[in-house]
Amino acid sequence: EPLKIVYIGKNTGNPYFDSITAGFEDACKSLGCEFQFLAPATAEATSQIPIIEAQIQRGVDVIGISPNSADALNQVLDAAKAAGILVLTVNGDVVGNESRRAATILPVDFTKTGPNQVELMGSMIGYSGEIAILSATTEAPDQNVWIAAMADTLKNDAKYKDMKLVATVYGDDQPEKSTTEMEALLANYPDLKGVIAPTTVGIAAAAQVVQSRGIADKVKVTGLGLPSEMRDFIKDGTVEAFQLWSPYNEGWLAVHFALGVLDGSVKNEVGGTFEVPNLGTITINENNSMNTQAELTKFDKTNIDDFSF
Amino acid sequence: MTAGTTSPVLSARGIGKQFAGVEVLRDVDLDLMPGEIHALLGENGAGKSTFAKIVAGVHRPSRGVLTLNGQVVDVANPIIAQRLGITLIHQEPISFPDLSVAENLILGRQDGAALGAVPWRQMTRDAQGLMALLGVAIDVGRPMRGLSIADQQMVEIARALASDSRVIIMDEPTAPLTPKEVATLFTIARRLRDEGRTIVFISHRLEEVRALCDRVTIFRDGNRVATEGIADLTDADIIRLMIGRPVKEYMHKRGTEIGEVALRVSNLTRAGLFHDISFEVRKGEIVGLGGLVGAGRTDVAQAIFGIAPADSGTIEVHGKRAQIASPVDAIGLGIAFVPEDRAVAGIFRSLPTDQNITAAVPRKIAPFGMIKAGLERAMALDAVSRLRIRLASVRQPIGELSGGNQQKAILARWLLADPSILVLDEPTRGIDIGVKAEFYDMIGDLAANGRAILLISSELPELLALCDRVLVMAEGRLTANLARGVASQETIMQAAVPKGDGLARSGKAAA
Amino acid sequence: MTGWRHILLRREAGIAVMIVLFCLSVGAVKPQFLTLDSLRIILLLVPLIMIGAMGQMLVLLARHVDLSIGSMLGLTAMASGMMFRYMPEVWWPVGFLVSVGLGAVLGLFNGALVTVFRLPAIIVTLGTLNLYRGLTFIMSDAKQIDRQYVPSALKSMSVTSPIFGIPWIIFISFGVAILTYWFVMHTRIGRQIYALGSNPVAAPLRGISVTKVTLVVFAISGALSGLAGILYASRWGFVNPSNTGSGFELQVIAAVVIGGVSINGGVGTVAGTVLGVVLLGCVSAALPLLGIPGTTQSAIYGAVILLALMIDRLVRMQGMARSTRAAVP
Amino acid sequence: MTGWRHILLRREAGIAVMIVLFCLSVGAVKPQFLTLDSLRIILLLVPLIMIGAMGQMLVLLARHVDLSIGSMLGLTAMASGMMFRYMPEVWWPVGFLVSVGLGAVLGLFNGALVTVFRLPAIIVTLGTLNLYRGLTFIMSDAKQIDRQYVPSALKSMSVTSPIFGIPWIIFISFGVAILTYWFVMHTRIGRQIYALGSNPVAAPLRGISVTKVTLVVFAISGALSGLAGILYASRWGFVNPSNTGSGFELQVIAAVVIGGVSINGGVGTVAGTVLGVVLLGCVSAALPLLGIPGTTQSAIYGAVILLALMIDRLVRMQGMARSTRAAVP
Ligand SMILES: Nc1ncnc2c1ncn2[C@@H]1O[C@H](COP(=O)(O)OP(=O)(O)OP(=O)(O)O)[C@@H](O)[C@H]1O
Ligand SMILES: Nc1ncnc2c1ncn2[C@@H]1O[C@H](COP(=O)(O)OP(=O)(O)OP(=O)(O)O)[C@@H](O)[C@H]1O
Ligand SMILES: [Mg+2]
Ligand SMILES: [Mg+2]
């Protein structure tokens, strides 16, 4: 009987998780296991709990989950573990509760996100001038880590001494709110040179404002975005470049790792390594975490059409 | 212009109407001639409005046919009636408070596509013309909201005028109007008649009928009992025909002595509704309060019970001056009030009958705020058997009971409160004859037990049979105080018919 | 059997039958649905909704509606959460007092706007839905209260059990239902709520204070939202300024209405409401088990609401046919 | 000046004064708020809400309410989005037909449930709010329609301008307002909506078909939600099954109610509604400019709604005092 793998996304209708799901699907197809994608309608912290409970009842072998909360899931994850299910967090971890899951699969070493973004911005504005950050919600944990790292980099790296972070605003990952926040940034900081939006909704909204005002040469927008959402803006020059990683590879890696652990060919211990087709050698780092790639991928005119997600 | 040579514009044949099994019109035949003003007379509930509504397509008859100019017509709804040239001025003026006066005038008259344009300019011009014709100064651009009942009635009348109808039915159009407005209305009505239109005029005011109408038809208990030329009938004839039902004999019981004054009302006045009302009700006494609909009796009762307190005047209960600002005060003083409109103000339709019965005595069944379910049930069952309320179970929602049984349940509610003073507003309205007799017994027993009872009723036989004394109101004033023996149908009617010098209700009624 | 009981039984039996049929059909496909374990899951899904539903039922009985319960849940949970965080020395059960008390105050504010300004409740509570949510953001500076700050004793109420392995939180929610039953059936004021909703014109004639009853139902709705708020912190172990309680009002109103409480006041029972809550709980528990994506849940929820209502209406139309007068003057 | 115009002017003048005062005070702190640029921002914020508000106004005038407009917006936008994606050969303006037509059908379904089953609109549309959202998920397989699939010509309607640099989308929304004005003031059916809401019992006596008017207002509300749906795709360039349109109903109802439309039917004007929409637009545009965190917006929204209502009520109470008798017969 084939092994049953489920992947539980943060919420449905989010193209980002669709891409991870595609990685899961393709890997399951090539390795022969049964796969299902599930997600709650809203990215609410508690909404994943009944889904996990149902999967325990269903008797699945592997749960991959992008948790909506670092600690709301503790009980139910423990229950899953007790039922002998291999639990992996994907794309985000239950920080502080690492013992509740077997391993975590992250696209990239997240400590690199902040500095990489600052560098990209700097390269676009000649390393000088006022910049601002347009983030998701005030509580978004990943974004907050990245923003802290950006501020740190700007302050401590002499290369960026002429770049000044003037504001950090939050668009709550809603297009309307992100748009008004972006408009307000432009009104409040007439000398603004660039905006970093480390969230897919934010970068699209910021780009749209810049596009509709026709100020792409004055205000540079970059951040983390999906190629499928940003393709137009890259092509018409609104956005020179932005970054991300391959969500697809996260799913791909998760399945290879899980099946390897279950058939004994991969040891889930820190420092261990294993081979994954297309990705090469993967190392299990501290806290049983592994990355699909070393650095962020940069998307611009030259490569945007190579990506289908 | 009487019947004979011309053929009727509208004839009714064998019209009958039932509401929920109750027959309110029986086999009515009536011919309306072109160019006549035809009065419909009859006691409250005789079926005048129901007949008018059937002609105007508001109700459909249970039996019978209407013929218009010799052709059988099916007046299925008010729009069809309008197309056939039949307009009804409702007893309660219909108004759309948020629309302008001009629009209220035109609404329902226009034909045409849904997206057809509204001719504001022309509409306003026409409306102003009509208002000028009626001699009323109403800005036709203002919303209906806030117009007095009289002004609303004038708008209704203007609407009928504008309709170009061949048959215009006016259901008590003069009730809220001032004498001057009435005079204008009459002038216009006569002019319309002279144009060859037919006007049906419903009123309780005999002198108006005499002044205006050519023929009269008298209804009694859903039957048409007579149609005559107005000149052929004396007032006495008319009253006899109206009320001449064989009065069911009720033995007036005189068990207890009439005691001291329980309720004394002095100089009670509420602007525009009633004026200078003074009377007293003694323990063990049943005092009737008669008059025509709209005389202001309900308003007096509401003032006594604190629903709409009077502007001036005093109320004494058992010899002590009472301040009654709300029903809670009145209940506290031992006053009970059975309102006239059961459905609106009386029953809690969706609640079980036992809860309806015990609703007025929360303290009895719930001494410390906690309901004693057993006690509640026992009290309800006791009331049910004493008043012979017919129901499947006391847990049955009261809305499912028949009207008479609902009314009994409400009476039971107040009896539980053991009031020393009972104000009953039309307690037997909509109740069948058999039940009525039971009610009379009950009311008699209540008085015999030393309670003071104020009985508002529009049914003369009821007042005569039950009451030790009959007060009569007309147009907001007390016009008679008749002891048993002096009171008769004639004396009451005489006092009840307005003399035109009463309170000018219009304008102020809604002020 | 009386007509009244007849309808009552029909109505509630109707929901019960729906629940049984639903569970059996799911069980036929997925036998694990008919285990004690899945009963536990269902029961753990419902406590907050159950508590909210009791308050909403009272509000609806009085012919009003309270859309702000989700925001009150969030604000009261946040208040206790912040106390836990910034005053860890305070004995944790005080959180119950804080949340319930604050909830009652918020509810009273709703009630006051409804009575004093005679504003329609739907609009007032739409306003306070926004207002209270905004206050939650302001108060918390938009920061989540993390798991580490929520007292373990509070959290364990959702896990440990006084008896039968059923966690405290479930007992509390059913306790609230029983208390509400007693309140509406056996207290004077409870009865007055029905009377007011049944006939707002007649109620004052019976000496019922419309203002008092209105304030009471909104205050209870607020207090119960507060109870749901502190139990949210217990159940999920954290309080989030934007998520906690958001959308709660729609779930609760759906459950209450499915349970047969009329939006037009005066009609509804605790038993029906409980069954409505349980039915929605069963649906919520079954969908993921059946592998139906969470997103379809919306459609099924909507369909269940509409279906239950239509059945109710058909039953009611029959009942009314017997006692209706033409509504024309 | 007639009494009618008097009240009308007072009500709308009230909102206009609020708008002016608000803008001036914001401008005092942030002069850039009083520039043409920020007018453009405000105008770009309002088109969808404006269009939704016109439909909702009609529904409220008829004494109903439509909570499903956000879900209808989402479903209709998704329908066009999927057409763009899977049938790219179809001429893009057909999307308008698809969205508006589908919206009208969805609205008719709401209206049919309200009239046939005589269910309260608040509950029916609460049900279809869930149902339509669920259908969106099912239809789209929970997949977003990305920017690349939305025709550029459609997207550019939110950017390019026929005249004065004002984008098409703004012209469309004001065009809808003007059409609605004509509809309610100058067509028979428009006046019948007011009449029905003003006195539902008497309406049939004046030959107004309650069924027809009810179906019409819900169908228009649906069709306008559909228009808002296709314009959402234009404005934001994507359609998301869960976000698109969610919460739209609350924004729209808030705007409409602030604009003076009564939840009890019969009262409200297009001008008032437009002003209500603009006031909320000003607030939304000003907050980020003032550096007020977006999260406080909720509280301010709520406060604005309640404030506007209280003012309205006070005005109305005066008006009513003149025409009230004890409401008890
Ligand atoms: N819609 C209805 N449903 C049930 N009964 C009704 C309805 N309308 C009238 N009735 C009853 O029919 C009877 C005749 O009423 P109708 O209104 O025709 O009397 P009326 O002669 O106009 O009296 P009034 O002088 O008081 O206006 C009354 O008993 C009344 O209660
Ligand atoms: N809500 C109201 N607003 C304005 N006028 C009203 C209202 N209700 C009744 N009226 C009018 O006030 C007048 C007095 O009514 P009231 O009910 O006091 O008379 P009544 O003698 O008790 O008559 P009834 O026999 O119908 O009870 C009537 O002309 C009536 O049309
Ligand atoms: Mg009559
Ligand atoms: Mg009366």
Side-chain angles (χ1 to χ4, degrees), chain B residues 58 78-79 90 94-99 103-104 107-108 110-118 120 139 141-143 145-146 156 159 270 273 298-299 302 307-308 340-341 344-345 509-511, chain D residues 1-5 7 182-192 194-200 202-208 212 265-267 319-329:
Chain B
V58 177
I79 282 300
H90 287 262
I94 288 180
S95 85
F96 296 89
D98 303 305
L99 298 186
E103 278 189 281
N104 270 275
L107 202 71
Q110 313 148 288
D111 268 326
L115 288 179
V118 177
W120 284 102
D139 174 1
R142 60 161 291 164
R145 189 186 298 290
E156 281 276 270
R159 217 184 88 79
R270 189 167 145 88
L273 295 174
T298 296
D299 293 301
Q302 290 193 354
I307 297 164
E340 66 180 340
D341 190 335
V344 176
Chain D
M1 174 147 323
T2 70
W4 185 71
R5 279 171 187 256
I7 285 183
W182 166 81
F183 178 72
V184 296
M185 294 304 286
H186 292 287
T187 69
R188 279 162 37 75
I189 181 113
R191 301 313 294 168
Q192 292 185 346
Y194 277 90
L196 176 65
S198 195
N199 189 347
L205 295 181
R206 288 286 182 267
I208 294 169
K212 187 171 101 186
V267 177
M320 271 183 4
R322 290 201 289 145
S323 62
T324 316
R325 229 180 88 123
V328 195

Side-chain angles (χ1 to χ4, degrees), chain B residues 19 24 43-50 91 172 204, chain C residues 325:
Chain B
F19 286 115
V24 301
E43 276 194 296
N44 293 138
K48 307 179 294 291
S49 297
T50 304
Q91 192 166 356
E172 302 199 31
H204 287 282
Chain C
R325 252 174 75 123

Side-chain angles (χ1 to χ4, degrees), chain B residues 44 91-93 148-149 152 175-176 272-274 290-302 340 425-426 429 456-458 473 505 509-510, chain D residues 323-329:
Chain B
N44 293 138
Q91 192 166 356
E92 306 289 337
S148 70
I149 295 280
Q152 289 182 32
L273 295 174
F274 52 85
L292 298 177
V293 170
R297 297 164 299 168
T298 296
D299 293 301
V300 170
Q302 290 193 354
E340 66 180 340
D425 194 356
E426 309 278 10
R429 183 174 282 179
I456 300 175
S457 174
S458 302
M473 277 183 76
R505 312 184 68 110
Chain D
S323 62
T324 316
R325 229 180 88 123
V328 195

Side-chain angles (χ1 to χ4, degrees), chain B residues 84-155:
Chain B
L84 294 172
I86 302 169
T87 298
L88 169 64
I89 299 175
H90 287 262
Q91 192 166 356
E92 306 289 337
I94 288 180
S95 85
F96 296 89
D98 303 305
L99 298 186
S100 72
V101 170
E103 278 189 281
N104 270 275
L105 277 172
I106 200 173
L107 202 71
R109 277 209 290 123
Q110 313 148 288
D111 268 326
L115 288 179
V118 177
W120 284 102
R121 223 176 272 277
Q122 192 203 332
M123 189 169 84
T124 308
R125 215 176 324 109
D126 292 353
Q128 280 164 344
L130 286 166
M131 289 298 144
L133 190 67
L134 285 173
V136 282
I138 301 175
D139 174 1
V140 299
R142 60 161 291 164
M144 273 305 255
R145 189 186 298 290
L147 280 193
S148 70
I149 295 280
D151 285 344
Q152 289 182 32
Q153 188 67 277
M154 290 311 271
V155 174

